[in-house]
Amino acid sequence: MDAKAILSSHFSKDLPFPAVLEHGGDLSEIRVRILSPYGMVISGINIPELNSLVTVHIDTMTVAGIISARSGGDGSILYIRPASSADQPDSDN
């Protein structure tokens, strides 16, 4: 799981950015709108139901999570193994 690596490499990246959501063997293109050490806010088509286990692919990195909120084409994912707050990049950089 690459929550720490994703946060480090994409924290200052222009948002939103593209990613792929995997659920039950299906792949959907999504946009990551907000990124934090504990999860992300996404938008896209075919966001799975609440509490669904998903994998998000960003570049060559992956992170597992659970759909924690869902409304139409928007949703949020809580990481199963979050990056610790000590891993969070300094927002001044």
Side-chain angles (χ1 to χ4, degrees):
M1 172 141 125
D2 296 318
K4 180 180 174 181
I6 289 169
L7 188 63
S8 295
S9 66
H10 289 78
F11 186 75
S12 62
K13 191 171 186 171
D14 290 332
L15 294 171
F17 60 86
V20 175
L21 180 72
E22 181 179 356
H23 174 257
D26 293 331
L27 299 175
S28 299
E29 293 183 13
I30 60 169
R31 307 280 297 165
V32 175
R33 299 195 169 281
I34 298 172
L35 190 59
S36 84
Y38 306 102
M40 61 180 66
V41 175
I42 61 169
S43 62
I45 300 173
N46 300 324
I47 305 295
E49 296 299 318
L50 288 178
N51 301 317
S52 296
L53 294 174
V54 296
T55 302
V56 178
H57 303 273
I58 300 173
D59 301 328
T60 60
M61 299 170 280
T62 62
V63 64
I66 297 172
I67 300 292
S68 61
R70 182 177 182 268
S71 175
D74 296 322
S76 62
I77 297 170
L78 287 175
Y79 301 143
I80 291 175
R81 288 190 206 121
S84 72
S85 58
D87 296 332
Q88 185 173 359
D90 184 357
S91 61
D92 293 337
N93 292 336

